[in-house]
Amino acid sequence: MKILVPVKRVIDYNVKPRVKMDGTGVDLANVKMSMNPFDEIAIEEAIRLKEKGVATEIIAVSIGEPKAQETLRTALAMGADRAILITSETEVEPLGVAKLLAKVVEEEQPGLVILGKQAIDDDSNQTGQMLAALLGRPQGTFASKVDVDGDSVSVTREVDGGLETVKLSLPAIVTTDLRLNEPRYASLPNIMKAKSKPMAQKTPADYGVDIAPRLTTLKVTEPPKREAGIKVADVDELVGKLKALGVA
Amino acid sequence: MKTLVWVEHDNVSVKDATLAAVTAAGKLGEVHLLVAGKGCGSVGEQAAKIAGVGKVHVADDAAYEHALAENVAPLIVELMGHHDAFVAPATSHGKNIAPRVAALLDVMQISDILSVESEDTFTRPTYAGNAIATVKSSDAKKVITVRGTAFDKAEMQGGSASVEAVSATGDKGLSSFVGAEIAKLERPELTSAKIIVSGGRALKDSETFQQVIIPLADKLGAAVGASRAAVDAGYVPNDYQVGQTGKIVAPEVYIAVGISGAIQHLAGMKDSKIIIAINKDEDAPIFQVADLGLVGDLFKIVPELTEKL
């Protein structure tokens, strides 16, 4: 079966984001961008399923500005077979992304779509669930283990309090949690090879999807700053302060 | 506005996270609850006593026993014919179900809200809590998940809502529950604890973590948390993880032991009332948010602290 893996270009997870002075958003000019960490895990899982002989082809797809092709090249260098870039100059919300992905799924008919559980920029945690809803397919969110068996897939999910396992009929939608796997690095030869792998260029209009945003960001502010604290000299002083606070 | 709140429960009792969602929903208008489960009559009775609730819808059917999104979402969508907003706690179950509901209603979800500014305007954290966005929704119906630590919990008593049975929409046959491994907790639950003692990579291994962190937590009646580094290194199970991708906590006191304070960790605990850091590196970022800091070797400090408390 084919596996479709949507990937997003986001601010690198090591960068401390800065809120713009005018309150319109986060300053992304000259900031290092990378593939969303959860999406790397999604690509890795797809590759492992291909290595096990479960998957036949891995298609990476990204929606965003033209630079998102760099993210797709990374996915190709890791082991994806081909890529689809849907270019949009304006930011597309999870609902719009899910609608576009639903069209790609209709075209490509993958047995599995593996997404990251959330993007570390908008922290929405919605796209996978929305895609499953639009397609009328089952969802295995926050997966820490994925086992394909015939026409179903068992997904162990990280839930509050522990783990739970669900069985989904294929085709299905899975979203990755951190502990699903350790993504591989792309080797230099594979980075070179990725340059010649096919990448289709599309626009939202090609799919006839309305991506007009439903939410308007009125302003973006920094979170309230904590007041600088004090350092205590030793345990006795710490115990004294804790007692004064009524903790002990 | 009529708001439907999804009640998180284990078919026996209402989970705490629901109560913060009820408070948030109360800011929008009339609050109705949905209890969907199997043999969940007692949950419905408890829910009816929550202060500020107008009506409780109870859907009792085997299809809802494990809160599978494929079965629960269509039920919610049907009830949304008579409601203007759907609110769920931003727990793992809430986050699983709500976006499925939103897409079926063709609306954008507003995730993890911190405040209700008006009927259509909310604040929510982005970029691991480093930027707070104020967003206005143009959708006719709102679908919202609520950050539990940002709202007071509604009282579990004083309410007298009417209870109404709703007919089930059936098992969609797309998914089934196989089993669960729930970690045993002998101490307070992380997200509702007043005090949390949290350990990081510096604890060395699982055994040392147990020896150093647990006695202090027990002395304080505290819950135990961990950084991602400690979880990935296998010191503790992953449901102990505090941070952007783990649990978001805001206790009265958060004691960070051997945790450097990466932004992903801070995203999960920086709304704690008092933060105490114990770390041997005096330049560790955790000291920039800590109210009380002690620089030194945790293997000496923590046992001494435990003894003197």
Side-chain angles (χ1 to χ4, degrees):
Chain A
M1 65 178 181
K2 285 191 207 174
I3 298 184
L4 183 75
V5 185
V7 294
K8 186 177 186 183
R9 181 176 186 264
V10 298
I11 190 168
D12 188 88
Y13 75 99
N14 282 312
V15 176
K16 178 151 168 57
R18 278 177 200 284
V19 173
K20 284 189 210 166
M21 295 292 277
D22 63 2
T24 54
V26 165
D27 194 358
L28 295 176
N30 304 315
V31 169
K32 186 181 179 212
M33 303 292 273
S34 302
M35 188 191 296
N36 182 42
F38 293 101
D39 304 347
E40 287 185 3
I41 296 169
I43 290 278
E44 176 65 34
E45 196 63 18
I47 299 165
R48 291 186 189 190
L49 287 169
K50 194 178 172 195
E51 286 166 350
K52 277 188 211 161
V54 173
T56 50
E57 189 186 29
I58 301 165
I59 308 152
V61 55
S62 194
I63 299 162
E65 55 177 331
K67 278 184 177 167
Q69 63 174 285
E70 292 166 14
T71 310
L72 286 171
R73 288 291 171 207
T74 306
L76 294 169
M78 285 174 75
D81 297 292
R82 60 185 168 94
I84 302 168
L85 174 64
I86 304 173
T87 317
S88 165
E89 288 299 341
T90 55
E91 210 170 298
V92 188
E93 291 172 343
L95 182 63
V97 170
K99 286 181 178 178
L100 286 167
L101 292 175
K103 294 285 183 187
V104 176
V105 168
E106 278 168 27
E107 249 175 43
E108 300 284 352
Q109 297 289 325
L112 266 180
V113 184
I114 309 180
L115 308 88
K117 80 163 175 183
Q118 77 188 60
I120 60 164
D121 53 359
D122 65 11
D123 283 335
S124 288
N125 197 329
Q126 300 176 13
T127 307
Q129 296 89 314
M130 287 181 154
L131 177 62
L134 296 175
L135 296 168
R137 291 293 165 198
Q139 63 191 49
T141 51
F142 327 141
S144 60
K145 196 165 172 240
V146 175
D147 272 322
V148 176
D149 180 21
D151 57 1
S152 69
V153 57
S154 285
V155 178
T156 301
R157 308 177 53 232
E158 296 198 6
V159 294
D160 299 330
L163 299 170
E164 77 172 37
T165 304
V166 291
K167 194 171 175 182
L168 314 174
S169 58
L170 292 172
I173 315 299
V174 169
T175 77
T176 63
D177 216 320
L178 278 174
R179 274 158 290 270
L180 180 58
N181 60 46
E182 186 90 26
R184 68 194 65 189
Y185 289 102
S187 66
L188 192 58
N190 285 343
I191 292 171
M192 299 310 289
K193 255 189 259 170
K195 291 186 178 170
S196 56
K197 286 185 178 175
M199 188 182 300
Q201 305 253 6
K202 302 272 190 177
T203 66
D206 292 338
Y207 295 99
V209 170
D210 174 19
I211 53 160
R214 308 291 184 85
L215 300 181
T216 315
T217 301
L218 302 180
K219 65 174 178 199
V220 177
T221 56
E222 279 194 28
K225 280 239 180 342
R226 293 191 71 96
E227 280 182 40
I230 52 160
K231 281 195 180 141
V232 293
D234 53 34
V235 171
D236 289 323
E237 196 183 341
L238 182 58
V239 171
K241 297 272 184 203
L242 284 172
K243 287 194 168 144
L245 290 165
V247 175
Chain B
M1 254 178 123
K2 260 202 231 168
T3 303
L4 184 70
V5 177
W6 180 71
V7 174
E8 177 146 3
H9 63 87
D10 52 7
N11 294 304
V12 179
S13 56
V14 174
K15 294 258 166 119
D16 257 12
T18 310
L19 303 173
V22 168
T23 302
K27 295 181 189 289
L28 293 169
E30 199 179 328
V31 180
H32 292 185
L33 303 185
L34 168 64
V35 175
K38 184 191 168 196
C40 57
S42 65
V43 180
E45 286 164 27
Q46 284 171 44
K49 295 197 182 98
I50 298 174
V53 173
K55 192 188 280 182
V56 178
H57 302 276
V58 176
D60 199 330
D61 191 279
Y64 307 133
E65 183 174 5
H66 300 289
L68 293 172
E70 295 81 357
N71 294 342
V72 174
L75 171 72
I76 294 166
V77 169
E78 200 163 282
L79 287 166
M80 285 303 288
H82 316 286
H83 293 88
D84 308 298
F86 174 71
V87 170
T91 55
S92 55
H93 278 116
K95 289 190 224 174
N96 188 40
I97 294 168
R100 194 164 177 115
V101 172
L104 293 173
L105 294 171
D106 191 27
V107 307
M108 245 309 279
Q109 174 182 289
I110 307 128
S111 296
D112 218 10
I113 63 162
L114 301 173
S115 72
V116 175
E117 302 293 304
S118 73
E119 277 191 0
D120 60 5
T121 306
F122 309 87
T123 65
R124 60 174 303 265
T126 58
Y127 292 88
N130 285 291
I132 309 299
T134 305
V135 296
K136 186 180 163 106
S137 166
S138 60
D139 284 316
K141 292 190 193 276
K142 314 287 183 267
V143 173
I144 297 161
T145 62
V146 172
R147 176 168 289 198
T149 56
F151 293 86
D152 294 332
K153 291 181 183 125
E155 293 288 338
M156 280 282 269
Q157 54 199 17
S160 55
S162 58
V163 178
E164 202 174 278
V166 291
S167 49
T169 47
D171 192 328
K172 301 296 159 195
L174 294 168
S175 60
S176 57
F177 178 84
V178 178
E181 274 175 60
I182 300 301
K184 268 192 243 155
L185 281 180
E186 288 145 4
R187 46 181 62 82
E189 200 201 2
L190 256 184
T191 47
S192 56
K194 284 203 159 56
I195 305 176
I196 294 172
V197 180
S198 209
R201 197 203 302 268
L203 270 307
K204 277 191 187 145
D205 55 34
S206 172
E207 206 177 312
T208 333
F209 193 101
Q210 294 289 327
Q211 282 165 6
V212 176
I213 299 293
I214 304 296
L216 177 60
D218 285 345
K219 197 92 174 216
L220 294 168
V224 176
S227 69
R228 185 186 163 195
V231 170
D232 283 352
Y235 304 173
V236 288
N238 58 37
D239 46 306
Y240 282 62
Q241 187 184 321
V242 172
Q244 184 185 21
T245 56
K247 296 216 168 69
I248 312 288
V249 300
E252 300 275 320
V253 181
Y254 188 89
I255 306 179
V257 179
I259 292 177
S260 64
I263 57 173
Q264 294 84 3
H265 186 75
L266 299 183
M269 46 64 82
K270 69 182 173 186
D271 292 327
S272 306
K273 211 158 170 199
I274 296 165
I275 297 172
I276 298 170
I278 298 171
N279 204 301
K280 69 174 179 206
D281 175 10
E282 63 179 317
D283 296 324
I286 191 78
F287 287 119
Q288 289 164 22
V289 299
D291 301 278
L292 290 173
L294 180 50
V295 179
D297 180 4
L298 68 93
F299 295 104
K300 272 194 212 135
I301 291 172
V302 178
E304 190 186 337
L305 178 62
T306 308
E307 196 193 307
K308 287 183 174 164
L309 280 170

